[in-house]
Amino acid sequence: MSAPTTPVGRLTVLYDADCPLCVHLRHWLLRQRQLVPLDFVPAGSQQARRLFPALDHTATLREITVIGDRGQVYRETSAWIVCLWALADHRPKAHWLATPAGQPFARVTVLAAAKWREALKGPGPDDGPCRDGHCEVPGPPG
């Protein structure tokens, strides 16, 4: 009898290197025990374009995108869930988030993170706190 195989042996996470939330989450993921290795590549970078020429790289700057080693492409909520699935301590939570009961929670969490990220980055490259290419986390109000 053969051993069960994992449908994904390695994942590449395309993350926004100019977003403090994205960079923080990248560091957090790197500190976790990984069942499936995670590689991180800045979204929209030359490396990303070389590795994944068929992707819409403009879209990868708007939404988290994860690519499996067999060509699987995960976006938005599915991308976050597959990142958690790759982690030893969070795989059970990923399984729950993928169920009908967990999907609304996962979606709301991803939408909240996107709103926070959007507030940091502003509407365009020449606007907002990232206009010089370096984002800063806003301080407390007042």
Side-chain angles (χ1 to χ4, degrees):
M1 185 169 163
S2 64
T5 59
T6 303
V8 177
R10 184 169 213 93
L11 294 165
T12 301
V13 180
L14 301 180
Y15 72 99
D16 185 345
D18 291 327
C19 166
L21 175 61
C22 305
V23 172
H24 171 77
L25 290 170
R26 174 187 175 269
H27 289 301
W28 181 82
L29 287 165
L30 284 169
R31 289 191 309 268
Q32 306 305 305
R33 190 167 53 97
Q34 299 174 6
L35 296 173
V36 176
L38 298 173
D39 298 318
F40 296 88
V41 175
S45 68
Q46 290 296 71
Q47 181 183 11
R49 292 173 193 282
R50 182 177 46 77
L51 290 171
F52 310 107
L55 278 181
D56 176 351
H57 290 279
T58 301
T60 67
L61 287 166
R62 288 190 308 269
E63 60 191 32
I64 182 174
T65 304
V66 177
I67 299 96
D69 58 349
R70 295 186 182 167
Q72 310 93 323
V73 178
Y74 306 91
R75 290 185 174 88
E76 298 177 341
T77 305
S78 296
W80 286 111
I81 292 172
V82 80
C83 284
L84 291 175
W85 174 83
L87 305 177
D89 295 336
H90 299 282
R91 186 167 277 186
K93 178 63 80 180
H95 282 288
W96 179 78
L97 289 169
T99 68
Q103 284 178 347
F105 179 78
R107 181 153 172 73
V108 165
T109 302
V110 169
L111 289 173
K115 288 284 186 194
W116 192 78
R117 179 179 174 269
E118 184 180 305
L120 285 176
K121 292 199 62 120
D126 298 325
D127 302 319
C130 300
R131 69 182 147 272
D132 64 354
H134 297 88
C135 297
E136 293 181 24
V137 177

